[in-house]
């Protein structure tokens, strides 16, 4: 692997080279590598973007132009738990604004902000594809459907008390969820280890063991 | 009503419909073997054309015809669009999480037919579970020789890459998706050239929606004619419909099109919750003009009937509003979405969507001005001249004109309600 990321963990370096191999042109790896880099740096820092630029053969400014376009590349450190409350039309119709208010109050963070103790960042987001189970929230992009304001408050308290290392959708759904968009079928073993979408090839997924 | 195609396995085997062993036990990868060993590439394309399936991503363009436009240059690519982000839509999520091998088999057959050696699935970043399920299925498929070199001993080889998005609705637009997959900002490209001629890395590329591709194994196994025989003419096949909002039974339903909206809302979706009255519904996702009970309840639920009534079926998302819905608030929420998601390339969309949201917000806050309804329509006219559907375009992609739909809908059907919220407005009851 290139010298550019010799300061990354060996696992991240290995992932980066696998990701680069899976595209015909290295530039396509920018977004996946930004996710990997944000695990190394805790967020998409300037250094993270410079590393990704070196890996993909573009300028840091070009990487920055990409990173700034997408809402999921966080360019500041966010809380341990990123709580995203959907407030688009179907969730709005089913009471999402009250859920957002309850989550803001319980976490001590308002939309776009992080709680003083660094535990929570809260954001209201556009449609997350959970409209049949509205209103819905995600914690580190793991989903809970059919949530109420009261359940939202309890979800925050539970996260604060138990501080799960792996955020698992099925566990949260069972404890705090309600109506689902559809039958989820069997339990999903993997969840999120960081406020980055949990996906094996990016190194962001973990299991509860 | 015909039997479900796409949801059959997940309903019958809820605990393991996503695994290779269950897929194989229930007739999986039979269509792939048929395609690889008994059919030429052109035979497969002919079956898909014969199916009359119209693309499930929203535009409703026939999939087989789209495939016919693929330019002969190589390399060429198949890109599957799982950036499902239209508010109200969640069917690709279920198809990918619950039956990923069905999607994979569709990808492999389609890639074979199109002469593609490298396929991509672009999954929105907010769907990590769908990505994990599909990646695990792909790992199983590589292991079992359904992906990789010399698939099932044939001379056909295919590599698959699963790519996560970064949270941008616009990447569901196929040329924005291609830019995003190239590692660029998700800004739509001018067409022509169409992706089938110059797509990913300026090479011939087919971009298809998840639901379209997931239907391919059934079509190959059972014939295009069998698929075309399901449902009304020009709305062939089974359709996954997502219904949300104020109904008793929200969810995904795989239905044969052709029933009335009355039957869909009051039978399939269980009617309006809490015994309330139906006020309005959006027949095809946030972008679509609204329908109202006095006019549209007996309109047939087909692609063409919805279009001839001035709206669209889109990706198949029905959003239902009960009598207590504040239509200005609902329209504001929809317009705000488009303002938030505008990529900013085209001035009418970038500026217009924001202005529409701001004016709706001040009406909501009780600070509306008597001229605001005219102002809303005038801004809308600047984004989409003539305020027709399908819209006239002043922009590269349809996002801007989509933001006009909620405005034209509430001013057309609920004008007195808007006027009642504006201080000093003459309330007319026309």
């Amino acid at each position: 692997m290139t010298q550019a990321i010799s300061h990354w963990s060996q696992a991240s370096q290995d992932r980066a080279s696998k990701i680069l191999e899976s595209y015909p042109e290295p530039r396509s790896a920018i977004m996946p590598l930004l996710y990997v880099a944000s695990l190394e740096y805790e967020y998409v820092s300037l250094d993270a973007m410079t590393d990704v630029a070196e890996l993909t053969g573009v300028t840091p400014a070009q990487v920055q132009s990409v990173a700034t376009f997408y809402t999921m590349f966080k360019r500041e450190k966010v809380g341990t738990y990123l709580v995203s409350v959907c407030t688009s039309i179907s969730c709005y119709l089913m009471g999402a604004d009250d859920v957002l208010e309850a989550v803001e109050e319980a976490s001590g963070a308002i939309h776009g902000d992080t709680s003083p103790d660094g535990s929570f960042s809260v954001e209201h987001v556009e449609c997350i594809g959970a409209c049949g189970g509205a209103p819905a929230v995600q914690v580190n992009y793991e989903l809970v459907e059919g949530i109420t304001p009261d359940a939202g408050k309890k979800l925050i308290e539970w996260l604060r008390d138990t501080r799960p290392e792996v955020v698992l959708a099925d566990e949260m759904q069972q404890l705090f969820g309600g109506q689902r968009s559809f039958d989820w079928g069997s339990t999903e073993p993997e969840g999120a280890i960081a406020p980055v979408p949990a996906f094996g090839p990016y190194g962001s997924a973990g299991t509860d063991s | 009503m015909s039997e479900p195609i796409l949801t059959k396995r997940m309903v019958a085997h809820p605990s393991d419909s996503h695994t290779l062993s269950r897929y194989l036990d229930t007739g999986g990868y039979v269509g792939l073997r048929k395609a690889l060993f008994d059919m030429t590439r052109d035979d497969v394309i002919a079956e898909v054309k014969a199916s009359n399936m119209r693309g499930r991503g929203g535009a409703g363009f026939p999939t087989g015809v789209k495939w016919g436009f693929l330019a002969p240059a190589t390399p060429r690519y198949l890109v599957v669009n799982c950036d499902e982000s239209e508010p109200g839509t969640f069917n690709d999520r279920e198809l990918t999480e619950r039956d990923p091998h069905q999607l994979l088999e569709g990808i492999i057959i389609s890639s074979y037919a199109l002469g593609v050696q490298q396929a991509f699935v672009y999954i929105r970043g907010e769907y990590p579970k769908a990505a994990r399920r599909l990646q695990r299925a792909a790992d199983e498929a590589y292991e079992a020789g359904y992906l990789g070199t010399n698939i099932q001993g044939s001379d056909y080889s295919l590599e698959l890459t699963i790519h996560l998005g970064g949270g941008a609705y616009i990447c569901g637009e196929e040329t924005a998706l291609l830019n995003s997959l190239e590692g660029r900002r998700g800004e739509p490209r001018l067409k022509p050239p169409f992706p089938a001629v110059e797509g990913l890395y300026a090479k011939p590329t087919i971009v298809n929606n998840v639901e379209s591709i997931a239907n391919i194994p059934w079509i190959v196994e059972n014939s295009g004619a069998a698929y075309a025989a399901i449902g009304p003419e020009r709305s062939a096949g089974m359709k996954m419909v997502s219904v949300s909002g104020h109904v008793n039974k929200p969810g995904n339903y795989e239905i044969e099109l052709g029933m009335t909206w009355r039957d869909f809302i009051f039978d399939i979706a269980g009617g309006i919750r809490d015994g309330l009255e139906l006020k309005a519904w959006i027949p095809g996702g946030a972008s679509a003009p609204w329908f109202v009970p006095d006019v549209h309840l007996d309109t047939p639920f087909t692609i063409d009937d919805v279009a001839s009534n001035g709206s669209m079926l889109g990706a198949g998302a029905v959003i239902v509003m009960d009598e207590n819905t504040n239509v200005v608030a609902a329209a504001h929420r929809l317009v705000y979405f488009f303002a938030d998601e505008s990529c900013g390339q085209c001035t009418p969309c970038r500026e217009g969507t924001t202005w529409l949201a701001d004016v709706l917000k001040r009406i909501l806050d009780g600070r509306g001005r008597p001229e605001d309804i005219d102002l809303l329509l005038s801004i809308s006219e600047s984004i989409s001249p003539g305020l027709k559907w399908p819209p006239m375009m002043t922009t590269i992609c349809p996002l801007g004109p989509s933001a006009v739909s909620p405005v034209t809908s509430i001013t057309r059907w609920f004008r007195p309600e808007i006027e009642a919220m504006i201080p000093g407005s003459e309330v007319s009851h026309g």
Side-chain angles (χ1 to χ4, degrees):
Chain A
M1 194 74 249
T2 164
Q3 192 62 31
I5 55 165
S6 55
H7 55 293
W8 288 18
S9 72
Q10 191 58 48
S12 289
Q13 291 186 43
D14 294 347
R15 283 184 195 110
S17 50
K18 271 196 141 172
I19 288 167
L20 281 161
E21 278 166 23
S22 61
Y23 296 95
E25 295 192 8
R27 183 169 181 148
S28 283
I30 288 177
M31 289 169 66
L33 290 174
L34 282 172
Y35 283 131
V36 179
S38 67
L39 293 171
E40 285 292 318
Y41 287 95
E42 294 189 283
Y43 65 102
V44 180
S45 63
L46 283 174
D47 286 343
M49 290 189 270
T50 305
D51 290 351
V52 171
E54 289 217 24
L55 286 171
T56 54
V58 301
T59 66
Q62 286 173 309
V63 173
Q64 199 169 357
S65 86
V66 175
T68 52
F69 186 84
Y70 301 92
T71 54
M72 291 170 70
F73 299 121
K74 304 299 183 192
R75 282 168 293 114
E76 283 176 23
K77 194 169 171 347
V78 295
T80 310
Y81 304 108
L82 171 65
V83 186
S84 311
V85 182
C86 179
T87 51
S88 278
I89 184 69
S90 299
C91 284
Y92 158 74
L93 290 171
M94 301 301 283
D97 289 6
D98 295 336
V99 174
L100 175 64
E101 204 181 304
V103 164
E104 286 177 333
E105 197 169 303
S107 66
I110 58 162
H111 164 66
D113 211 348
T114 300
S115 62
D117 66 350
S119 293
F120 300 101
S121 290
V122 173
E123 56 179 7
H124 68 74
V125 294
E126 298 302 341
C127 188
I128 53 176
C131 323
V137 304
Q138 290 185 327
V139 179
N140 293 352
Y141 304 109
E142 294 298 308
L143 183 64
V144 192
E145 295 188 303
I147 199 155
T148 61
D150 187 51
K153 176 172 167 267
K154 290 189 171 125
L155 167 64
I156 297 294
E157 287 164 359
W158 177 80
L159 288 167
R160 186 182 279 129
D161 292 345
T162 60
R163 301 196 73 82
E165 283 187 21
V166 182
V167 174
L168 296 163
D170 289 280
E171 184 178 20
M172 294 189 295
Q173 180 68 27
Q174 197 185 350
L175 291 170
F176 308 105
Q179 170 78 40
R180 300 172 197 227
S181 291
F182 48 81
D183 177 3
W184 288 11
S186 66
T187 304
E188 164 64 24
E190 287 186 299
I193 60 165
V196 171
F199 185 50
Y202 301 170
S204 44
T207 51
D208 185 30
S209 59
Chain B
M1 178 72 64
S2 296
E3 281 209 340
I5 293 174
L6 300 175
T7 54
K8 200 173 174 177
R9 189 172 297 102
M10 62 184 81
V11 170
H13 305 284
S15 65
D16 62 357
S17 60
H18 59 292
T19 62
L20 178 62
S21 56
R22 177 59 70 192
Y23 194 65
L24 291 173
D25 281 353
T26 48
Y29 290 112
V30 170
L32 173 63
R33 291 174 167 283
K34 184 176 172 184
L36 285 178
F37 299 111
D38 302 335
M39 296 169 81
T40 65
R41 290 174 40 200
D42 286 344
D43 290 342
V44 177
I45 294 174
E47 289 303 323
V48 174
K49 277 187 178 153
S51 76
N52 291 336
M53 177 172 66
R54 295 171 70 171
R56 299 318 202 196
F61 195 79
T63 304
V65 177
K66 194 180 204 181
W67 286 12
F69 293 150
L70 188 63
T74 55
R76 46 176 71 176
Y77 300 104
L78 172 69
V79 178
V80 177
N81 185 344
C82 188
D83 193 54
E84 176 175 70
S85 311
E86 179 79 14
T89 323
F90 48 97
N91 48 9
D92 293 345
R93 184 182 134 218
E94 181 167 20
L95 291 173
T96 310
E97 288 181 4
R98 302 294 312 285
D99 204 339
H101 281 285
Q102 176 172 256
L103 175 59
L104 275 185
E105 185 179 1
I107 292 169
I108 302 162
I109 295 172
S110 305
S111 298
Y112 165 72
L114 297 166
V116 162
Q117 311 281 305
Q118 165 82 58
F120 298 90
V121 184
Y122 186 108
I123 302 185
R124 63 179 307 196
E126 297 90 339
Y127 280 7
K129 180 178 172 185
R132 295 195 295 268
R133 287 270 169 102
L134 190 63
Q135 184 67 55
R136 261 180 248 139
D139 293 346
E140 286 181 307
Y142 270 108
E143 183 77 17
Y146 294 105
L147 274 172
T149 317
N150 298 121
I151 292 172
Q152 296 298 296
S154 72
D155 58 6
Y156 179 65
S157 303
L158 176 68
E159 297 297 326
L160 178 76
T161 300
I162 295 164
H163 182 98
L164 254 68
Y169 164 73
I170 191 57
C171 292
E173 196 282 334
E174 60 178 4
T175 60
L177 187 152
L178 294 174
N179 272 341
S180 183
L181 187 51
E182 288 183 5
R184 301 172 198 280
R185 296 164 72 85
E187 290 165 345
R189 302 173 181 174
L190 273 171
K191 296 191 267 193
F194 287 90
V197 179
E198 280 184 39
L200 188 64
Y201 315 124
K203 300 294 185 208
T205 304
I206 292 292
V207 185
N208 279 145
N209 166 264
V210 163
E211 188 185 343
S212 307
I213 292 291
N215 273 300
I216 299 295
W218 192 94
I219 291 171
V220 165
E221 214 183 317
N222 296 276
S223 85
Y227 191 87
I230 302 168
E233 213 186 341
R234 291 182 48 78
S235 285
M238 301 299 285
K239 175 81 192 87
M240 285 281 278
V241 177
S242 302
V243 56
S244 62
H246 299 143
V247 289
N248 283 314
K249 296 191 318 187
N252 286 324
Y253 297 94
E254 188 181 10
I255 60 168
E256 190 175 325
L257 297 179
M259 70 180 71
T260 63
W261 282 97
R262 184 188 307 280
D263 287 345
F264 179 78
I265 292 171
F266 290 96
D267 184 19
I268 304 265
I272 310 305
R273 63 171 189 169
D274 301 332
L276 294 168
E277 295 291 321
L278 171 63
K279 185 166 190 172
W281 72 97
I282 315 179
S287 304
W290 303 9
F291 275 3
V292 290
D294 285 352
V295 183
H296 299 113
L297 267 182
D298 294 306
T299 300
F301 189 153
T302 69
I303 298 174
D304 288 351
D305 286 291
V306 173
S308 65
N309 279 276
S311 188
M312 65 166 182
L313 217 50
V318 182
I319 302 164
V320 179
M321 294 176 254
D322 72 23
E323 60 184 300
N324 293 334
T325 306
N326 178 333
V327 292
V328 177
H332 171 258
R333 206 49 72 107
L334 288 159
V335 170
Y336 181 90
F337 170 83
F338 293 108
D340 201 50
E341 299 291 348
S342 172
C343 82
Q345 274 192 115
C346 309
T347 309
C349 171
R350 182 186 64 243
E351 303 300 322
T353 54
T354 309
W355 270 100
L356 288 176
D358 285 352
V359 174
L360 286 165
K361 183 71 167 69
R362 81 176 173 213
I363 296 174
L364 262 183
D365 291 348
R367 296 181 290 109
R369 303 168 189 173
E371 66 272 21
D372 274 353
I373 295 179
D374 288 340
L375 179 59
L376 286 169
L377 289 170
S378 150
I379 299 166
S380 300
E381 180 85 28
S382 301
I383 302 174
S384 177
L387 302 181
K388 292 189 177 63
W389 196 269
M392 292 267 288
M393 304 272 285
T394 57
T395 48
I396 293 171
C397 89
L399 188 148
S402 299
V404 170
S405 293
V407 174
T408 52
S409 299
I410 63 167
T411 51
R412 179 172 184 189
W413 304 114
F414 302 103
R415 193 175 178 117
E417 268 188 60
I418 315 171
E419 287 170 342
M421 293 175 72
I422 298 176
S425 185
E426 283 296 315
V427 178
S428 66
H429 297 281

